[in-house]
Amino acid sequence: MKILAALLAPGLLVVLFSRVTYSYVVGLLLTVALIAASAYRGYTSSWLLIIADAFSLTAGFWYSKRMIERSRAAKSA
């Protein structure tokens, strides 16, 4: 169950924060801060979870960047 959450939650958080702040970099930084805080509290117990978090962050960042760029292109057209 933790692996599934690690694969979905960080990516969705990046997208959510990017949507709210209109900046994919800020969305990524806020999500990384949340992941770091949870790791500090001891919720990340294995390397597999860290790798799953990193993969999800990367996918969420890619999608957020794509989404923001499309939005900006549609507004300028």
Side-chain angles (χ1 to χ4, degrees):
M1 191 65 176
K2 283 185 178 182
I3 303 257
L4 183 62
L7 285 172
L8 294 177
L12 292 175
L13 283 172
V14 171
V15 173
L16 173 74
F17 288 145
S18 297
R19 193 76 160 152
V20 170
T21 63
Y22 298 105
S23 172
Y24 50 87
V25 175
V26 173
L28 179 69
L29 291 176
L30 288 172
T31 306
V32 167
L34 282 175
I35 297 295
S38 70
Y40 178 74
R41 296 289 296 172
Y43 295 116
T44 305
S45 57
S46 70
W47 281 101
L48 185 59
L49 287 175
I50 294 170
I51 292 169
D53 282 340
F55 174 76
S56 183
L57 283 170
T58 304
F61 181 74
W62 171 79
Y63 183 75
S64 293
K65 184 176 179 182
R66 187 172 159 216
M67 177 183 65
I68 297 292
E69 287 175 353
R70 277 187 179 179
S71 174
R72 289 179 183 161
K75 285 182 183 178
S76 67

